[in-house]
Short mmCIF file of all heavy atoms in Angstrom, two decimals:
data_model
loop_
_atom_site.label_atom_id
_atom_site.label_comp_id
_atom_site.label_asym_id
_atom_site.label_seq_id
_atom_site.Cartn_x
_atom_site.Cartn_y
_atom_site.Cartn_z
N PRO A 648 26.64 -132.01 237.83
CA PRO A 648 27.05 -131.09 236.78
C PRO A 648 25.83 -130.57 236.02
O PRO A 648 24.82 -131.27 235.90
CB PRO A 648 27.93 -131.94 235.87
CG PRO A 648 28.38 -133.08 236.71
CD PRO A 648 27.27 -133.32 237.68
N GLY A 649 25.94 -129.37 235.50
CA GLY A 649 24.83 -128.80 234.74
C GLY A 649 24.92 -127.30 234.73
O GLY A 649 25.88 -126.71 235.23
N ARG A 650 23.89 -126.69 234.16
CA ARG A 650 23.85 -125.24 234.10
C ARG A 650 22.93 -124.73 235.20
O ARG A 650 21.80 -125.22 235.36
CB ARG A 650 23.34 -124.78 232.73
CG ARG A 650 24.27 -125.19 231.59
CD ARG A 650 23.86 -124.53 230.30
NE ARG A 650 22.44 -124.74 230.02
CZ ARG A 650 21.67 -123.90 229.35
NH1 ARG A 650 22.18 -122.78 228.87
NH2 ARG A 650 20.40 -124.18 229.12
N TYR A 651 23.38 -123.76 235.93
CA TYR A 651 22.63 -123.26 237.08
C TYR A 651 22.58 -121.73 237.09
O TYR A 651 23.47 -121.08 236.56
CB TYR A 651 23.28 -123.71 238.39
CG TYR A 651 23.22 -125.20 238.62
CD1 TYR A 651 24.24 -126.03 238.15
CD2 TYR A 651 22.14 -125.77 239.28
CE1 TYR A 651 24.18 -127.40 238.35
CE2 TYR A 651 22.08 -127.14 239.49
CZ TYR A 651 23.09 -127.95 239.02
OH TYR A 651 23.04 -129.31 239.21
N VAL A 652 21.55 -121.22 237.69
CA VAL A 652 21.52 -119.81 238.06
C VAL A 652 21.45 -119.75 239.57
O VAL A 652 21.10 -120.74 240.23
CB VAL A 652 20.32 -119.05 237.43
CG1 VAL A 652 20.49 -118.94 235.94
CG2 VAL A 652 19.02 -119.70 237.82
N MET A 653 21.81 -118.58 240.12
CA MET A 653 21.81 -118.45 241.56
C MET A 653 20.99 -117.25 242.00
O MET A 653 20.69 -116.36 241.20
CB MET A 653 23.25 -118.28 242.08
CG MET A 653 24.13 -119.48 241.79
SD MET A 653 25.74 -119.31 242.60
CE MET A 653 25.34 -119.88 244.25
N ALA A 654 20.64 -117.24 243.26
CA ALA A 654 19.97 -116.09 243.85
C ALA A 654 20.33 -116.06 245.33
O ALA A 654 20.73 -117.06 245.91
CB ALA A 654 18.46 -116.19 243.67
N ALA A 655 20.22 -114.87 245.91
CA ALA A 655 20.46 -114.72 247.34
C ALA A 655 19.26 -114.01 247.94
O ALA A 655 18.64 -113.17 247.29
CB ALA A 655 21.74 -113.93 247.62
N ALA A 656 18.91 -114.40 249.14
CA ALA A 656 17.72 -113.81 249.75
C ALA A 656 17.93 -113.70 251.25
O ALA A 656 18.88 -114.24 251.80
CB ALA A 656 16.49 -114.66 249.45
N GLY A 657 17.03 -113.00 251.88
CA GLY A 657 17.11 -112.82 253.32
C GLY A 657 16.65 -111.41 253.66
O GLY A 657 16.27 -110.63 252.78
N ARG A 658 16.68 -111.11 254.94
CA ARG A 658 16.22 -109.80 255.37
C ARG A 658 17.35 -108.80 255.26
O ARG A 658 18.31 -108.82 256.03
CB ARG A 658 15.74 -109.90 256.81
CG ARG A 658 14.55 -109.03 257.10
CD ARG A 658 14.10 -109.17 258.53
NE ARG A 658 14.08 -107.88 259.20
CZ ARG A 658 13.28 -106.88 258.84
NH1 ARG A 658 12.45 -107.02 257.83
NH2 ARG A 658 13.32 -105.74 259.48
N ALA A 659 17.25 -107.93 254.27
CA ALA A 659 18.30 -106.95 254.04
C ALA A 659 17.65 -105.65 253.59
O ALA A 659 17.73 -105.28 252.41
CB ALA A 659 19.31 -107.46 253.00
N PRO A 660 17.03 -104.91 254.52
CA PRO A 660 16.30 -103.71 254.11
C PRO A 660 17.23 -102.68 253.48
O PRO A 660 18.32 -102.41 254.01
CB PRO A 660 15.74 -103.18 255.45
CG PRO A 660 15.91 -104.28 256.44
CD PRO A 660 17.00 -105.15 255.95
N GLY A 661 16.81 -102.14 252.38
CA GLY A 661 17.61 -101.10 251.73
C GLY A 661 18.70 -101.64 250.81
O GLY A 661 19.37 -100.86 250.13
N TRP A 662 18.88 -102.94 250.77
CA TRP A 662 19.91 -103.53 249.92
C TRP A 662 19.26 -104.26 248.74
O TRP A 662 18.20 -104.86 248.88
CB TRP A 662 20.78 -104.51 250.71
CG TRP A 662 21.63 -103.86 251.75
CD1 TRP A 662 21.40 -103.82 253.08
CD2 TRP A 662 22.83 -103.13 251.52
NE1 TRP A 662 22.39 -103.13 253.73
CE2 TRP A 662 23.29 -102.68 252.77
CE3 TRP A 662 23.57 -102.81 250.38
CZ2 TRP A 662 24.45 -101.94 252.93
CZ3 TRP A 662 24.74 -102.07 250.53
CH2 TRP A 662 25.17 -101.64 251.79
N PHE A 663 19.96 -104.23 247.62
CA PHE A 663 19.45 -104.87 246.41
C PHE A 663 20.54 -105.71 245.79
O PHE A 663 21.70 -105.28 245.72
CB PHE A 663 18.96 -103.81 245.43
CG PHE A 663 17.98 -102.86 246.06
CD1 PHE A 663 18.38 -101.60 246.49
CD2 PHE A 663 16.67 -103.26 246.29
CE1 PHE A 663 17.48 -100.75 247.10
CE2 PHE A 663 15.77 -102.40 246.92
CZ PHE A 663 16.18 -101.14 247.32
N LEU A 664 20.15 -106.88 245.38
CA LEU A 664 21.12 -107.82 244.79
C LEU A 664 21.58 -107.30 243.44
O LEU A 664 20.77 -107.06 242.54
CB LEU A 664 20.43 -109.18 244.66
CG LEU A 664 21.30 -110.38 244.33
CD1 LEU A 664 22.46 -110.49 245.31
CD2 LEU A 664 20.44 -111.64 244.39
N LYS A 665 22.89 -107.11 243.28
CA LYS A 665 23.41 -106.53 242.04
C LYS A 665 24.00 -107.61 241.12
O LYS A 665 23.75 -107.62 239.92
CB LYS A 665 24.54 -105.53 242.35
CG LYS A 665 24.12 -104.36 243.18
CD LYS A 665 23.84 -103.15 242.34
CE LYS A 665 22.54 -103.25 241.61
NZ LYS A 665 21.40 -102.61 242.23
N SER A 666 24.81 -108.47 241.69
CA SER A 666 25.48 -109.46 240.85
C SER A 666 25.93 -110.63 241.69
O SER A 666 26.11 -110.51 242.91
CB SER A 666 26.70 -108.84 240.14
OG SER A 666 27.67 -108.46 241.10
N MET A 667 26.09 -111.77 241.03
CA MET A 667 26.66 -112.97 241.67
C MET A 667 27.67 -113.50 240.67
O MET A 667 27.31 -114.18 239.71
CB MET A 667 25.58 -114.01 241.96
CG MET A 667 24.50 -113.49 242.90
SD MET A 667 23.28 -114.74 243.34
CE MET A 667 24.10 -115.62 244.65
N MET A 668 28.93 -113.17 240.88
CA MET A 668 29.93 -113.50 239.88
C MET A 668 30.51 -114.89 240.16
O MET A 668 31.14 -115.13 241.19
CB MET A 668 31.06 -112.45 239.88
CG MET A 668 30.57 -111.05 239.53
SD MET A 668 29.60 -110.96 238.00
CE MET A 668 30.86 -111.34 236.79
N VAL A 669 30.28 -115.80 239.19
CA VAL A 669 30.78 -117.17 239.28
C VAL A 669 31.69 -117.39 238.07
O VAL A 669 31.21 -117.41 236.93
CB VAL A 669 29.63 -118.19 239.24
CG1 VAL A 669 30.17 -119.61 239.40
CG2 VAL A 669 28.59 -117.88 240.31
N ASN A 670 32.96 -117.52 238.31
CA ASN A 670 33.93 -117.73 237.21
C ASN A 670 33.71 -116.71 236.10
O ASN A 670 33.70 -117.06 234.91
CB ASN A 670 33.80 -119.15 236.63
CG ASN A 670 34.30 -120.19 237.61
OD1 ASN A 670 34.98 -119.86 238.59
ND2 ASN A 670 33.97 -121.44 237.35
#
Side-chain angles (χ1 to χ4, degrees):
Chain A
R650 296 190 308 150
Y651 293 90
V652 292
M653 298 187 82
R658 216 179 124 64
W662 293 102
F663 307 101
L664 191 53
K665 299 262 75 96
S666 64
M667 300 184 82
M668 299 308 292
V669 183
N670 290 345

